[in-house]
mmCIF file of all heavy atoms in Angstrom:
data_model
loop_
_atom_site.group_PDB
_atom_site.id
_atom_site.type_symbol
_atom_site.label_atom_id
_atom_site.label_comp_id
_atom_site.label_asym_id
_atom_site.label_seq_id
_atom_site.Cartn_x
_atom_site.Cartn_y
_atom_site.Cartn_z
ATOM 1 N N MET A 29 0.074 3.293 -25.178
ATOM 2 C CA MET A 29 -0.558 1.966 -25.281
ATOM 3 C C MET A 29 -0.300 1.369 -26.670
ATOM 4 O O MET A 29 -1.095 1.545 -27.595
ATOM 5 C CB MET A 29 -2.074 2.119 -25.122
ATOM 6 C CG MET A 29 -2.735 1.760 -23.832
ATOM 7 S SD MET A 29 -1.947 1.733 -22.273
ATOM 8 C CE MET A 29 -2.774 3.122 -21.502
ATOM 9 N N GLN A 76 2.776 -7.703 -24.813
ATOM 10 C CA GLN A 76 2.532 -8.135 -23.434
ATOM 11 C C GLN A 76 1.055 -8.460 -23.320
ATOM 12 O O GLN A 76 0.214 -7.648 -23.703
ATOM 13 C CB GLN A 76 2.883 -7.026 -22.451
ATOM 14 C CG GLN A 76 4.367 -6.823 -22.323
ATOM 15 C CD GLN A 76 4.691 -6.010 -21.089
ATOM 16 O OE1 GLN A 76 5.196 -4.905 -21.203
ATOM 17 N NE2 GLN A 76 4.398 -6.544 -19.918
ATOM 18 N N SER A 79 -3.475 -8.135 -19.257
ATOM 19 C CA SER A 79 -3.797 -8.905 -18.055
ATOM 20 C C SER A 79 -5.261 -8.750 -17.668
ATOM 21 O O SER A 79 -5.844 -9.596 -17.007
ATOM 22 C CB SER A 79 -2.894 -8.494 -16.902
ATOM 23 O OG SER A 79 -3.120 -7.155 -16.578
ATOM 24 N N LEU A 80 -5.833 -7.655 -18.085
ATOM 25 C CA LEU A 80 -7.247 -7.443 -17.797
ATOM 26 C C LEU A 80 -8.067 -8.508 -18.524
ATOM 27 O O LEU A 80 -8.986 -9.115 -17.968
ATOM 28 C CB LEU A 80 -7.646 -6.058 -18.299
ATOM 29 C CG LEU A 80 -8.357 -5.138 -17.328
ATOM 30 C CD1 LEU A 80 -7.774 -5.226 -15.948
ATOM 31 C CD2 LEU A 80 -8.307 -3.729 -17.845
ATOM 32 N N ALA A 81 -7.738 -8.708 -19.791
ATOM 33 C CA ALA A 81 -8.453 -9.701 -20.584
ATOM 34 C C ALA A 81 -8.204 -11.097 -20.020
ATOM 35 O O ALA A 81 -9.127 -11.916 -19.917
ATOM 36 C CB ALA A 81 -8.003 -9.626 -22.044
ATOM 37 N N PHE A 84 -10.125 -11.527 -16.822
ATOM 38 C CA PHE A 84 -11.544 -11.578 -17.134
ATOM 39 C C PHE A 84 -11.906 -12.980 -17.629
ATOM 40 O O PHE A 84 -12.832 -13.623 -17.141
ATOM 41 C CB PHE A 84 -11.852 -10.536 -18.196
ATOM 42 C CG PHE A 84 -13.220 -10.663 -18.769
ATOM 43 C CD1 PHE A 84 -14.322 -10.751 -17.942
ATOM 44 C CD2 PHE A 84 -13.399 -10.684 -20.137
ATOM 45 C CE1 PHE A 84 -15.586 -10.861 -18.478
ATOM 46 C CE2 PHE A 84 -14.652 -10.791 -20.676
ATOM 47 C CZ PHE A 84 -15.761 -10.889 -19.850
ATOM 48 N N ILE A 99 -1.269 3.473 5.550
ATOM 49 C CA ILE A 99 0.072 3.269 5.036
ATOM 50 C C ILE A 99 0.967 3.997 6.036
ATOM 51 O O ILE A 99 0.637 5.062 6.474
ATOM 52 C CB ILE A 99 0.226 3.981 3.668
ATOM 53 C CG1 ILE A 99 -0.750 3.439 2.661
ATOM 54 C CG2 ILE A 99 1.649 3.896 3.163
ATOM 55 C CD1 ILE A 99 -0.419 2.102 2.132
ATOM 56 N N ALA A 105 3.292 -2.726 8.156
ATOM 57 C CA ALA A 105 4.430 -2.893 7.256
ATOM 58 C C ALA A 105 5.118 -4.232 7.515
ATOM 59 O O ALA A 105 5.517 -4.929 6.581
ATOM 60 C CB ALA A 105 5.417 -1.745 7.427
ATOM 61 N N GLN A 112 4.028 -10.520 1.469
ATOM 62 C CA GLN A 112 4.710 -10.420 0.174
ATOM 63 C C GLN A 112 5.537 -11.658 -0.104
ATOM 64 O O GLN A 112 5.499 -12.210 -1.203
ATOM 65 C CB GLN A 112 5.666 -9.226 0.178
ATOM 66 C CG GLN A 112 4.991 -7.918 0.461
ATOM 67 C CD GLN A 112 4.821 -7.070 -0.779
ATOM 68 O OE1 GLN A 112 4.652 -7.603 -1.874
ATOM 69 N NE2 GLN A 112 4.845 -5.778 -0.599
ATOM 70 N N TYR A 123 -1.742 -6.000 -3.713
ATOM 71 C CA TYR A 123 -2.004 -4.570 -3.771
ATOM 72 C C TYR A 123 -2.492 -4.149 -2.405
ATOM 73 O O TYR A 123 -3.252 -4.875 -1.769
ATOM 74 C CB TYR A 123 -3.129 -4.269 -4.763
ATOM 75 C CG TYR A 123 -2.711 -4.322 -6.201
ATOM 76 C CD1 TYR A 123 -3.650 -4.200 -7.218
ATOM 77 C CD2 TYR A 123 -1.371 -4.481 -6.558
ATOM 78 C CE1 TYR A 123 -3.276 -4.243 -8.551
ATOM 79 C CE2 TYR A 123 -0.994 -4.526 -7.888
ATOM 80 C CZ TYR A 123 -1.951 -4.404 -8.884
ATOM 81 O OH TYR A 123 -1.586 -4.447 -10.187
ATOM 82 N N VAL A 124 -2.066 -2.993 -1.957
ATOM 83 C CA VAL A 124 -2.652 -2.544 -0.708
ATOM 84 C C VAL A 124 -3.574 -1.355 -0.926
ATOM 85 O O VAL A 124 -3.353 -0.507 -1.779
ATOM 86 C CB VAL A 124 -1.615 -2.322 0.443
ATOM 87 C CG1 VAL A 124 -0.214 -2.644 0.029
ATOM 88 C CG2 VAL A 124 -1.757 -1.010 1.110
ATOM 89 N N GLU A 125 -4.646 -1.386 -0.182
ATOM 90 C CA GLU A 125 -5.604 -0.292 -0.198
ATOM 91 C C GLU A 125 -5.621 0.342 1.183
ATOM 92 O O GLU A 125 -5.777 -0.341 2.182
ATOM 93 C CB GLU A 125 -7.016 -0.804 -0.513
ATOM 94 C CG GLU A 125 -7.181 -1.304 -1.913
ATOM 95 C CD GLU A 125 -8.649 -1.597 -2.214
ATOM 96 O OE1 GLU A 125 -9.436 -0.648 -2.337
ATOM 97 O OE2 GLU A 125 -9.003 -2.785 -2.316
ATOM 98 N N GLU A 126 -5.464 1.644 1.207
ATOM 99 C CA GLU A 126 -5.520 2.359 2.478
ATOM 100 C C GLU A 126 -6.958 2.832 2.671
ATOM 101 O O GLU A 126 -7.448 3.675 1.934
ATOM 102 C CB GLU A 126 -4.559 3.551 2.427
ATOM 103 C CG GLU A 126 -4.461 4.296 3.732
ATOM 104 C CD GLU A 126 -3.499 5.481 3.651
ATOM 105 O OE1 GLU A 126 -3.493 6.161 2.603
ATOM 106 O OE2 GLU A 126 -2.764 5.713 4.616
ATOM 107 N N ASP A 138 -19.554 -3.115 0.979
ATOM 108 C CA ASP A 138 -20.089 -3.939 -0.088
ATOM 109 C C ASP A 138 -19.270 -3.771 -1.359
ATOM 110 O O ASP A 138 -18.886 -4.745 -2.009
ATOM 111 C CB ASP A 138 -21.541 -3.516 -0.376
ATOM 112 C CG ASP A 138 -22.493 -4.676 -0.218
ATOM 113 O OD1 ASP A 138 -22.041 -5.757 0.193
ATOM 114 O OD2 ASP A 138 -23.685 -4.494 -0.495
ATOM 115 N N GLY A 142 -17.147 -6.382 -3.260
ATOM 116 C CA GLY A 142 -17.796 -6.798 -4.490
ATOM 117 C C GLY A 142 -16.870 -6.747 -5.688
ATOM 118 O O GLY A 142 -17.011 -7.511 -6.638
ATOM 119 N N GLN A 145 -11.761 -7.380 -8.562
ATOM 120 C CA GLN A 145 -10.390 -7.042 -8.885
ATOM 121 C C GLN A 145 -9.404 -8.025 -8.270
ATOM 122 O O GLN A 145 -8.374 -8.331 -8.844
ATOM 123 C CB GLN A 145 -10.118 -5.627 -8.352
ATOM 124 C CG GLN A 145 -9.247 -4.759 -9.204
ATOM 125 C CD GLN A 145 -9.798 -4.527 -10.594
ATOM 126 O OE1 GLN A 145 -9.260 -5.049 -11.556
ATOM 127 N NE2 GLN A 145 -10.888 -3.774 -10.708
ATOM 128 N N LYS A 170 -19.214 -14.102 -2.082
ATOM 129 C CA LYS A 170 -18.235 -14.496 -1.082
ATOM 130 C C LYS A 170 -16.770 -14.335 -1.515
ATOM 131 O O LYS A 170 -16.078 -15.305 -1.780
ATOM 132 C CB LYS A 170 -18.476 -15.955 -0.672
ATOM 133 C CG LYS A 170 -19.773 -16.156 0.109
ATOM 134 C CD LYS A 170 -19.509 -16.521 1.560
ATOM 135 C CE LYS A 170 -20.770 -16.604 2.403
ATOM 136 N NZ LYS A 170 -21.367 -15.268 2.666
ATOM 137 N N LEU A 254 1.072 9.622 18.779
ATOM 138 C CA LEU A 254 1.987 10.335 19.657
ATOM 139 C C LEU A 254 1.234 11.405 20.433
ATOM 140 O O LEU A 254 1.346 11.503 21.656
ATOM 141 C CB LEU A 254 3.072 11.007 18.814
ATOM 142 C CG LEU A 254 4.060 10.087 18.098
ATOM 143 C CD1 LEU A 254 4.958 10.898 17.181
ATOM 144 C CD2 LEU A 254 4.885 9.333 19.127
ATOM 145 N N HIS A 287 7.822 11.466 25.994
ATOM 146 C CA HIS A 287 8.164 12.840 25.635
ATOM 147 C C HIS A 287 7.526 13.829 26.600
ATOM 148 O O HIS A 287 8.152 14.796 27.041
ATOM 149 C CB HIS A 287 7.708 13.136 24.206
ATOM 150 C CG HIS A 287 8.183 14.459 23.699
ATOM 151 N ND1 HIS A 287 7.347 15.513 23.470
ATOM 152 C CD2 HIS A 287 9.429 14.899 23.404
ATOM 153 C CE1 HIS A 287 8.051 16.561 23.038
ATOM 154 N NE2 HIS A 287 9.310 16.199 22.980
ATOM 155 N N ARG A 290 9.422 14.069 29.790
ATOM 156 C CA ARG A 290 10.612 14.908 29.665
ATOM 157 C C ARG A 290 10.222 16.366 29.840
ATOM 158 O O ARG A 290 10.882 17.121 30.559
ATOM 159 C CB ARG A 290 11.232 14.682 28.274
ATOM 160 C CG ARG A 290 12.645 14.154 28.317
ATOM 161 C CD ARG A 290 13.114 13.784 26.924
ATOM 162 N NE ARG A 290 12.762 12.421 26.583
ATOM 163 C CZ ARG A 290 12.131 12.032 25.485
ATOM 164 N NH1 ARG A 290 11.754 12.930 24.576
ATOM 165 N NH2 ARG A 290 11.856 10.778 25.286
ATOM 166 N N GLN A 309 10.069 0.117 15.392
ATOM 167 C CA GLN A 309 11.522 0.287 15.366
ATOM 168 C C GLN A 309 12.008 1.460 16.218
ATOM 169 O O GLN A 309 13.087 1.403 16.799
ATOM 170 C CB GLN A 309 12.028 0.418 13.925
ATOM 171 C CG GLN A 309 11.389 1.554 13.173
ATOM 172 C CD GLN A 309 12.111 1.839 11.857
ATOM 173 O OE1 GLN A 309 13.244 1.425 11.637
ATOM 174 N NE2 GLN A 309 11.444 2.559 10.981
ATOM 175 N N PHE A 310 11.192 2.500 16.308
ATOM 176 C CA PHE A 310 11.636 3.661 17.059
ATOM 177 C C PHE A 310 11.650 3.406 18.564
ATOM 178 O O PHE A 310 12.262 4.147 19.324
ATOM 179 C CB PHE A 310 10.778 4.879 16.731
ATOM 180 C CG PHE A 310 10.923 5.324 15.314
ATOM 181 C CD1 PHE A 310 9.955 5.027 14.375
ATOM 182 C CD2 PHE A 310 12.070 5.999 14.904
ATOM 183 C CE1 PHE A 310 10.112 5.417 13.049
ATOM 184 C CE2 PHE A 310 12.236 6.387 13.587
ATOM 185 C CZ PHE A 310 11.257 6.095 12.650
ATOM 186 N N ALA A 312 13.215 1.211 20.053
ATOM 187 C CA ALA A 312 14.575 0.850 20.455
ATOM 188 C C ALA A 312 15.475 2.059 20.643
ATOM 189 O O ALA A 312 16.451 2.002 21.385
ATOM 190 C CB ALA A 312 15.194 -0.094 19.427
ATOM 191 N N VAL A 313 15.154 3.163 19.974
ATOM 192 C CA VAL A 313 16.012 4.341 20.097
ATOM 193 C C VAL A 313 15.336 5.453 20.893
ATOM 194 O O VAL A 313 15.757 6.604 20.858
ATOM 195 C CB VAL A 313 16.444 4.880 18.714
ATOM 196 C CG1 VAL A 313 17.235 3.815 17.962
ATOM 197 C CG2 VAL A 313 15.250 5.332 17.892
ATOM 198 N N ASP A 315 14.269 7.443 24.347
ATOM 199 C CA ASP A 315 15.069 7.782 25.521
ATOM 200 C C ASP A 315 14.169 7.802 26.740
ATOM 201 O O ASP A 315 13.417 8.743 26.906
ATOM 202 C CB ASP A 315 15.720 9.152 25.304
ATOM 203 C CG ASP A 315 16.597 9.543 26.472
ATOM 204 O OD1 ASP A 315 17.044 8.643 27.209
ATOM 205 O OD2 ASP A 315 16.839 10.762 26.643
ATOM 206 N N MET B 23 -18.668 -16.402 -4.471
ATOM 207 C CA MET B 23 -18.930 -15.731 -5.753
ATOM 208 C C MET B 23 -20.371 -15.989 -6.187
ATOM 209 O O MET B 23 -20.639 -16.905 -6.963
ATOM 210 C CB MET B 23 -18.032 -16.334 -6.812
ATOM 211 C CG MET B 23 -16.767 -15.634 -7.237
ATOM 212 S SD MET B 23 -15.850 -14.507 -6.288
ATOM 213 C CE MET B 23 -14.412 -15.510 -5.945
ATOM 214 N N GLN B 70 -23.758 -6.984 -8.419
ATOM 215 C CA GLN B 70 -22.713 -5.973 -8.512
ATOM 216 C C GLN B 70 -21.980 -6.201 -9.811
ATOM 217 O O GLN B 70 -21.566 -7.321 -10.105
ATOM 218 C CB GLN B 70 -21.726 -6.108 -7.362
ATOM 219 C CG GLN B 70 -22.309 -5.650 -6.050
ATOM 220 C CD GLN B 70 -21.215 -5.463 -5.017
ATOM 221 O OE1 GLN B 70 -21.174 -6.175 -4.022
ATOM 222 N NE2 GLN B 70 -20.309 -4.518 -5.256
ATOM 223 N N SER B 73 -16.347 -5.767 -12.155
ATOM 224 C CA SER B 73 -15.506 -4.640 -12.555
ATOM 225 C C SER B 73 -14.408 -5.065 -13.514
ATOM 226 O O SER B 73 -13.897 -4.271 -14.287
ATOM 227 C CB SER B 73 -14.904 -3.974 -11.331
ATOM 228 O OG SER B 73 -14.083 -4.885 -10.651
ATOM 229 N N LEU B 74 -14.060 -6.330 -13.458
ATOM 230 C CA LEU B 74 -13.057 -6.828 -14.388
ATOM 231 C C LEU B 74 -13.588 -6.742 -15.811
ATOM 232 O O LEU B 74 -12.900 -6.293 -16.733
ATOM 233 C CB LEU B 74 -12.761 -8.289 -14.041
ATOM 234 C CG LEU B 74 -11.311 -8.689 -13.856
ATOM 235 C CD1 LEU B 74 -10.538 -7.636 -13.097
ATOM 236 C CD2 LEU B 74 -11.248 -10.015 -13.158
ATOM 237 N N ALA B 75 -14.830 -7.176 -15.976
ATOM 238 C CA ALA B 75 -15.445 -7.134 -17.296
ATOM 239 C C ALA B 75 -15.616 -5.694 -17.753
ATOM 240 O O ALA B 75 -15.362 -5.352 -18.915
ATOM 241 C CB ALA B 75 -16.802 -7.834 -17.262
ATOM 242 N N PHE B 78 -12.282 -4.276 -18.723
ATOM 243 C CA PHE B 78 -11.838 -4.915 -19.944
ATOM 244 C C PHE B 78 -12.527 -4.284 -21.146
ATOM 245 O O PHE B 78 -11.902 -3.871 -22.129
ATOM 246 C CB PHE B 78 -12.155 -6.402 -19.868
ATOM 247 C CG PHE B 78 -11.977 -7.115 -21.162
ATOM 248 C CD1 PHE B 78 -10.799 -6.984 -21.882
ATOM 249 C CD2 PHE B 78 -12.982 -7.920 -21.653
ATOM 250 C CE1 PHE B 78 -10.637 -7.649 -23.078
ATOM 251 C CE2 PHE B 78 -12.826 -8.580 -22.852
ATOM 252 C CZ PHE B 78 -11.646 -8.435 -23.568
ATOM 253 N N ILE B 93 6.223 0.098 2.357
ATOM 254 C CA ILE B 93 5.072 0.431 3.184
ATOM 255 C C ILE B 93 5.661 0.763 4.546
ATOM 256 O O ILE B 93 6.575 0.114 4.990
ATOM 257 C CB ILE B 93 4.172 -0.813 3.367
ATOM 258 C CG1 ILE B 93 3.662 -1.312 2.032
ATOM 259 C CG2 ILE B 93 3.018 -0.532 4.304
ATOM 260 C CD1 ILE B 93 2.612 -0.458 1.416
ATOM 261 N N ALA B 99 3.778 7.828 3.178
ATOM 262 C CA ALA B 99 2.434 7.848 3.752
ATOM 263 C C ALA B 99 1.818 9.235 3.618
ATOM 264 O O ALA B 99 0.640 9.375 3.314
ATOM 265 C CB ALA B 99 2.478 7.421 5.216
ATOM 266 N N GLN B 106 -4.637 10.211 -2.295
ATOM 267 C CA GLN B 106 -5.964 9.645 -2.024
ATOM 268 C C GLN B 106 -7.043 10.705 -2.131
ATOM 269 O O GLN B 106 -8.081 10.489 -2.760
ATOM 270 C CB GLN B 106 -6.024 9.078 -0.594
ATOM 271 C CG GLN B 106 -5.003 8.022 -0.315
ATOM 272 C CD GLN B 106 -5.603 6.637 -0.311
ATOM 273 O OE1 GLN B 106 -6.567 6.367 -1.024
ATOM 274 N NE2 GLN B 106 -5.028 5.763 0.474
ATOM 275 N N TYR B 117 -4.239 1.900 -5.662
ATOM 276 C CA TYR B 117 -3.632 0.698 -5.087
ATOM 277 C C TYR B 117 -2.174 0.974 -4.882
ATOM 278 O O TYR B 117 -1.548 1.599 -5.726
ATOM 279 C CB TYR B 117 -3.753 -0.476 -6.066
ATOM 280 C CG TYR B 117 -5.121 -1.100 -6.128
ATOM 281 C CD1 TYR B 117 -5.407 -2.083 -7.057
ATOM 282 C CD2 TYR B 117 -6.127 -0.702 -5.250
ATOM 283 C CE1 TYR B 117 -6.669 -2.666 -7.124
ATOM 284 C CE2 TYR B 117 -7.381 -1.284 -5.317
ATOM 285 C CZ TYR B 117 -7.645 -2.251 -6.247
ATOM 286 O OH TYR B 117 -8.884 -2.829 -6.305
ATOM 287 N N VAL B 118 -1.625 0.492 -3.786
ATOM 288 C CA VAL B 118 -0.183 0.657 -3.683
ATOM 289 C C VAL B 118 0.518 -0.678 -3.799
ATOM 290 O O VAL B 118 0.031 -1.715 -3.353
ATOM 291 C CB VAL B 118 0.274 1.512 -2.459
ATOM 292 C CG1 VAL B 118 -0.861 2.009 -1.636
ATOM 293 C CG2 VAL B 118 1.345 0.845 -1.660
ATOM 294 N N GLU B 119 1.638 -0.615 -4.478
ATOM 295 C CA GLU B 119 2.489 -1.788 -4.626
ATOM 296 C C GLU B 119 3.802 -1.506 -3.931
ATOM 297 O O GLU B 119 4.432 -0.482 -4.166
ATOM 298 C CB GLU B 119 2.765 -2.069 -6.102
ATOM 299 C CG GLU B 119 1.559 -2.525 -6.874
ATOM 300 C CD GLU B 119 1.949 -2.996 -8.276
ATOM 301 O OE1 GLU B 119 2.564 -4.059 -8.394
ATOM 302 O OE2 GLU B 119 1.647 -2.270 -9.230
ATOM 303 N N GLU B 120 4.210 -2.404 -3.083
ATOM 304 C CA GLU B 120 5.497 -2.256 -2.405
ATOM 305 C C GLU B 120 6.532 -3.009 -3.226
ATOM 306 O O GLU B 120 6.482 -4.230 -3.314
ATOM 307 C CB GLU B 120 5.390 -2.838 -0.991
ATOM 308 C CG GLU B 120 6.645 -2.633 -0.161
ATOM 309 C CD GLU B 120 6.509 -3.237 1.230
ATOM 310 O OE1 GLU B 120 5.934 -4.332 1.350
ATOM 311 O OE2 GLU B 120 6.979 -2.613 2.196
ATOM 312 N N ASP B 132 9.414 -3.898 -16.949
ATOM 313 C CA ASP B 132 8.545 -4.058 -18.096
ATOM 314 C C ASP B 132 7.187 -4.610 -17.671
ATOM 315 O O ASP B 132 6.141 -4.103 -18.077
ATOM 316 C CB ASP B 132 9.194 -5.037 -19.082
ATOM 317 C CG ASP B 132 9.379 -4.400 -20.440
ATOM 318 O OD1 ASP B 132 9.086 -3.196 -20.572
ATOM 319 O OD2 ASP B 132 9.809 -5.112 -21.361
ATOM 320 N N GLY B 136 3.709 -2.957 -17.937
ATOM 321 C CA GLY B 136 2.911 -3.560 -18.990
ATOM 322 C C GLY B 136 1.525 -3.966 -18.530
ATOM 323 O O GLY B 136 0.582 -3.969 -19.306
ATOM 324 N N GLN B 139 -3.517 -3.313 -15.578
ATOM 325 C CA GLN B 139 -4.328 -3.271 -14.377
ATOM 326 C C GLN B 139 -4.693 -1.841 -13.992
ATOM 327 O O GLN B 139 -5.762 -1.579 -13.480
ATOM 328 C CB GLN B 139 -3.544 -3.933 -13.239
ATOM 329 C CG GLN B 139 -4.343 -4.755 -12.271
ATOM 330 C CD GLN B 139 -5.096 -5.894 -12.913
ATOM 331 O OE1 GLN B 139 -6.307 -5.860 -12.998
ATOM 332 N NE2 GLN B 139 -4.391 -6.902 -13.399
ATOM 333 N N LYS B 164 2.969 2.765 -23.586
ATOM 334 C CA LYS B 164 3.117 3.958 -22.772
ATOM 335 C C LYS B 164 2.098 4.092 -21.639
ATOM 336 O O LYS B 164 1.213 4.926 -21.694
ATOM 337 C CB LYS B 164 3.085 5.198 -23.663
ATOM 338 C CG LYS B 164 4.277 5.347 -24.592
ATOM 339 C CD LYS B 164 5.178 6.508 -24.193
ATOM 340 C CE LYS B 164 6.463 6.573 -25.005
ATOM 341 N NZ LYS B 164 7.420 5.520 -24.656
ATOM 342 N N LEU B 248 17.591 3.611 10.903
ATOM 343 C CA LEU B 248 18.098 3.876 12.237
ATOM 344 C C LEU B 248 19.460 3.236 12.420
ATOM 345 O O LEU B 248 20.414 3.869 12.875
ATOM 346 C CB LEU B 248 17.128 3.289 13.269
ATOM 347 C CG LEU B 248 15.756 3.954 13.362
ATOM 348 C CD1 LEU B 248 14.856 3.156 14.282
ATOM 349 C CD2 LEU B 248 15.901 5.378 13.843
ATOM 350 N N HIS B 281 20.646 8.567 19.087
ATOM 351 C CA HIS B 281 20.673 7.454 20.025
ATOM 352 C C HIS B 281 22.105 7.014 20.300
ATOM 353 O O HIS B 281 22.482 6.739 21.440
ATOM 354 C CB HIS B 281 19.859 6.288 19.479
ATOM 355 C CG HIS B 281 19.691 5.177 20.465
ATOM 356 N ND1 HIS B 281 20.313 3.963 20.345
ATOM 357 C CD2 HIS B 281 18.983 5.117 21.617
ATOM 358 C CE1 HIS B 281 19.985 3.203 21.360
ATOM 359 N NE2 HIS B 281 19.173 3.860 22.149
ATOM 360 N N ARG B 284 23.818 9.255 22.751
ATOM 361 C CA ARG B 284 23.423 8.968 24.123
ATOM 362 C C ARG B 284 24.273 7.829 24.674
ATOM 363 O O ARG B 284 24.778 7.882 25.796
ATOM 364 C CB ARG B 284 21.949 8.584 24.155
ATOM 365 C CG ARG B 284 21.079 9.511 24.987
ATOM 366 C CD ARG B 284 19.615 9.169 24.804
ATOM 367 N NE ARG B 284 19.039 9.900 23.691
ATOM 368 C CZ ARG B 284 18.344 9.365 22.703
ATOM 369 N NH1 ARG B 284 18.108 8.066 22.670
ATOM 370 N NH2 ARG B 284 17.865 10.129 21.748
ATOM 371 N N GLN B 303 7.137 12.077 11.962
ATOM 372 C CA GLN B 303 6.460 12.454 13.206
ATOM 373 C C GLN B 303 7.301 12.205 14.460
ATOM 374 O O GLN B 303 7.214 12.945 15.426
ATOM 375 C CB GLN B 303 5.118 11.745 13.320
ATOM 376 C CG GLN B 303 5.224 10.240 13.261
ATOM 377 C CD GLN B 303 3.922 9.556 13.674
ATOM 378 O OE1 GLN B 303 3.060 10.155 14.293
ATOM 379 N NE2 GLN B 303 3.816 8.290 13.314
ATOM 380 N N PHE B 304 8.145 11.172 14.407
ATOM 381 C CA PHE B 304 8.928 10.866 15.591
ATOM 382 C C PHE B 304 10.027 11.892 15.843
ATOM 383 O O PHE B 304 10.582 11.957 16.930
ATOM 384 C CB PHE B 304 9.523 9.463 15.497
ATOM 385 C CG PHE B 304 8.475 8.396 15.499
ATOM 386 C CD1 PHE B 304 8.097 7.745 14.337
ATOM 387 C CD2 PHE B 304 7.817 8.071 16.693
ATOM 388 C CE1 PHE B 304 7.108 6.783 14.341
ATOM 389 C CE2 PHE B 304 6.820 7.112 16.709
ATOM 390 C CZ PHE B 304 6.461 6.464 15.532
ATOM 391 N N ALA B 306 9.667 14.933 16.256
ATOM 392 C CA ALA B 306 9.191 15.912 17.229
ATOM 393 C C ALA B 306 9.314 15.415 18.665
ATOM 394 O O ALA B 306 9.399 16.205 19.595
ATOM 395 C CB ALA B 306 7.737 16.273 16.939
ATOM 396 N N VAL B 307 9.334 14.103 18.852
ATOM 397 C CA VAL B 307 9.422 13.575 20.220
ATOM 398 C C VAL B 307 10.782 12.939 20.492
ATOM 399 O O VAL B 307 10.957 12.205 21.448
ATOM 400 C CB VAL B 307 8.297 12.561 20.506
ATOM 401 C CG1 VAL B 307 6.945 13.216 20.358
ATOM 402 C CG2 VAL B 307 8.403 11.335 19.618
ATOM 403 N N ASP B 309 14.752 12.947 21.572
ATOM 404 C CA ASP B 309 15.408 13.604 22.713
ATOM 405 C C ASP B 309 16.832 13.938 22.315
ATOM 406 O O ASP B 309 17.679 13.059 22.288
ATOM 407 C CB ASP B 309 15.407 12.665 23.920
ATOM 408 C CG ASP B 309 16.008 13.360 25.148
ATOM 409 O OD1 ASP B 309 16.038 14.602 25.162
ATOM 410 O OD2 ASP B 309 16.439 12.642 26.067
#
Side-chain angles (χ1 to χ4, degrees):
Chain A
M29 257 24 111
Q76 287 196 245
S79 63
L80 232 40
F84 170 51
I99 300 286
Q112 302 256 32
Y123 283 174
V124 359
E125 292 189 71
E126 184 180 39
D138 238 5
Q145 217 59 251
K170 291 249 175 289
L254 292 173
H287 188 249
R290 240 172 272 128
Q309 57 168 343
F310 295 102
V313 299
D315 182 23
Chain B
M23 260 25 109
Q70 287 194 245
S73 62
L74 231 41
F78 169 51
I93 300 287
Q106 302 256 31
Y117 283 174
V118 359
E119 292 189 71
E120 185 181 40
D132 237 5
Q139 217 59 250
K164 292 249 173 287
L248 292 172
H281 188 251
R284 241 172 271 129
Q303 57 168 343
F304 295 103
V307 299
D309 184 21

